[in-house]
Amino acid sequence: MPFESSAPDPRHAASPAEFVAQLRRLKAWSDLTYRRLEKEAMRRGHVLPHSTIATALKRDSLPRTELLAALVSACGCDEETVALWVAVRQRLNTGDGAAAPTFSPATPYDAGTAHPADGSDHLQDTGPARPPDDAGTPPVPVRPRDAGPPGARPGLARRIGRMAPLAAMLLAGMVVLGASSRPEQGHPEQGRPQAGDPATAASTPLPSPAAWWRFEETGGSTAYDSSRHGADAAIGGGATRTAAPGGHALTFDGGGHVTARGPIVRTDEPFTITAWVRLDETDDWGTVVSEHHGAKAPDVALLDYDAEHRDWAFMMPDRRKGWAMGKETVFAGLRPVPARWTHLAVVHDPADRRVCLYVDGALEACRTRASLTRANGPLDIGRAIHDGEPVDGWHGAIDDVRVFPAVLDRAQVGAVAGHRA
């Protein structure tokens, strides 16, 4: 992906849609998330909710002048640059084709960071995008989304052309037949491993989980630990039980949560977290599982839905900053389907220096990470904690949450996904 070191120039815009596209480039150039932009705007004396920014950048119409000024300033631009953006907006709003005043690009918010220049917007409906990685360590590619049916390999057609005609016809027929048997895009059961499927059978027995919440209780405010390690958790904040495939699950309205006392596993050592989730609302962030470091210290690990990128994600916030940028997040690269049950799994392997994210039993992405902070606080299901306050509550349902003090391989993750409890 190409990069640019100076702020995008709004004078290149010839229409409101192109102007907003330049704003998206400016946001990408700043390398700040929507929530960080909100905080930066507040520091500069503006009120700019992150949801307002997201809505403005999804549209092709000109934003309000005061919103524009606050956003450009929050991106790290000086007053002269802000004035230029406002002047170009005024020109486009009145239809005046006169050239905008000249200016010198402002000093970027973080001059040592490269920024994307392709004009891409993480909120476009063309599919999820990933933020720039300022550490120069891009995620490990696992499988191209257009790689075709499982088992297909580059150069297959070329090799078929060299085979005997009959063999080529037979092989081509097998490929077509395999492709036609794949689930239809968007179908609720797409990608879900089925119980008893040989492909999901673990090559080695599953290790004993440190905690396992099945949410099969008939009532009460306690989620009992099926691992028999005594990690019973308290249900609160409006989380309620509901029917789910194979039994019951807990539903969350953004305020409900399940809290287990103390850390369940050492997050600086090998661990795997798995859960079945149903996401009912995609306009806001939602946390599946989070491990905390302390009362007001940043979260250590969060398995969640990232509304900014419309993607499943595992976040490992920087212990000093308290938030996760590109190098601290693993994105699945899959746009979640609302109201569809999906199996998520994250595997932390410090020996291999990697954190990997699985969706419906399939390995989707990995990121190099040397180590994580050791969490010394509780584990929460359905919410995160920021500065001591609950944030990013889950909207939907969660079921069959397991925490393993070990690295699960692909077959073992597939076995967990294929046998819902």
Side-chain angles (χ1 to χ4, degrees):
M1 178 182 292
F3 291 88
E4 63 185 353
S5 58
S6 59
D9 190 339
R11 294 171 297 180
H12 295 161
S15 67
E18 293 180 4
F19 183 82
V20 177
Q22 289 294 90
L23 267 181
R24 295 180 189 126
R25 294 180 63 192
L26 181 68
K27 188 263 180 190
W29 170 84
S30 73
D31 202 19
L32 298 176
T33 65
Y34 290 113
R35 293 183 183 276
R36 290 303 306 163
L37 285 171
E38 177 180 348
K39 292 183 179 181
E40 186 63 22
M42 184 178 299
R43 191 179 70 82
R44 294 169 180 252
H46 302 287
V47 177
L48 188 62
H50 66 274
S51 58
T52 301
I53 305 172
T55 300
L57 295 184
K58 284 195 292 184
R59 297 172 176 170
D60 289 332
S61 57
L62 293 171
R64 301 190 312 274
T65 301
E66 59 272 20
L67 186 156
L68 172 65
L71 176 56
V72 175
S73 176
C75 285
C77 297
D78 58 16
E79 294 182 0
E80 183 180 359
T81 307
V82 172
L84 172 72
W85 281 86
V86 172
V88 173
R89 180 204 178 279
Q90 181 65 19
R91 172 172 59 85
L92 293 173
N93 189 48
T94 59
D96 184 5
T102 59
F103 80 111
S104 299
T107 302
Y109 182 78
D110 182 358
T113 303
H115 308 282
D118 61 352
S120 61
D121 174 30
H122 296 317
L123 286 174
Q124 292 178 353
D125 290 334
T126 55
R130 294 190 174 106
D133 188 350
D134 55 338
T137 55
V140 179
V142 175
R143 184 180 69 246
R145 306 309 306 168
D146 58 351
R153 299 179 295 278
L156 178 60
R158 183 171 63 253
R159 289 193 293 273
I160 289 176
R162 296 175 181 176
M163 298 171 64
L166 179 58
M169 292 173 61
L170 289 174
L171 183 56
M174 293 172 61
V175 172
V176 171
L177 185 60
S180 64
S181 65
R182 299 177 70 190
E184 181 181 355
Q185 180 70 24
H187 191 279
E189 296 301 319
Q190 180 186 7
R192 175 178 292 188
Q194 299 300 310
D197 185 348
T200 65
S203 56
T204 57
L206 288 174
S208 174
W212 182 3
W213 298 284
R214 299 174 60 192
F215 306 127
E216 293 299 327
E217 303 82 15
T218 57
S221 59
T222 300
Y224 293 104
D225 174 22
S226 295
S227 74
R228 300 183 180 180
H229 288 133
D232 296 343
I235 302 173
T240 58
R241 293 175 178 84
T242 186
H248 297 84
L250 283 185
T251 58
F252 301 79
D253 60 1
H257 60 274
V258 179
T259 303
R261 295 181 180 179
I264 300 301
V265 292
R266 286 191 52 165
T267 50
D268 59 338
E269 294 183 350
F271 69 81
T272 300
I273 300 174
T274 70
W276 278 100
V277 302
R278 191 192 72 212
L279 180 65
D280 294 344
E281 184 176 313
T282 59
D283 290 335
D284 203 358
W285 294 56
T287 304
V288 181
V289 177
S290 62
E291 278 272 16
H292 315 305
H293 188 56
K296 289 196 173 184
D299 289 322
V300 173
L302 302 97
L303 178 60
D304 65 7
Y305 164 69
D306 187 320
E308 180 175 341
H309 302 99
R310 303 295 176 97
D311 201 354
W312 300 117
F314 181 69
M315 304 174 67
M316 306 157 281
D318 185 282
R319 70 184 68 182
R320 295 162 299 175
K321 301 176 185 176
W323 69 89
M325 300 294 285
K327 67 178 181 180
E328 289 99 19
T329 303
V330 184
F331 290 96
L334 297 174
R335 185 180 293 271
V337 179
R340 173 192 184 273
W341 279 103
T342 303
H343 189 265
L344 302 178
V346 61
V347 179
H348 174 233
D349 187 351
D352 201 25
R353 301 170 61 89
R354 294 207 308 174
V355 177
C356 297
L357 185 58
Y358 292 75
V359 179
D360 286 329
L363 177 59
E364 298 297 344
C366 293
R367 181 173 290 281
T368 300
R369 182 64 183 251
S371 63
L372 298 183
T373 304
R374 179 178 178 179
N376 58 19
L379 176 145
D380 265 318
I381 299 172
R383 70 176 181 180
I385 300 294
H386 178 72
D387 199 23
E389 298 295 328
V391 295
D392 300 337
W394 186 258
H395 292 270
I398 300 176
D399 189 23
D400 191 10
V401 178
R402 311 186 202 188
V403 182
F404 297 88
V407 172
L408 267 61
D409 60 28
R410 295 194 193 195
Q412 291 173 319
V413 172
V416 174
H419 296 80
R420 182 171 181 172

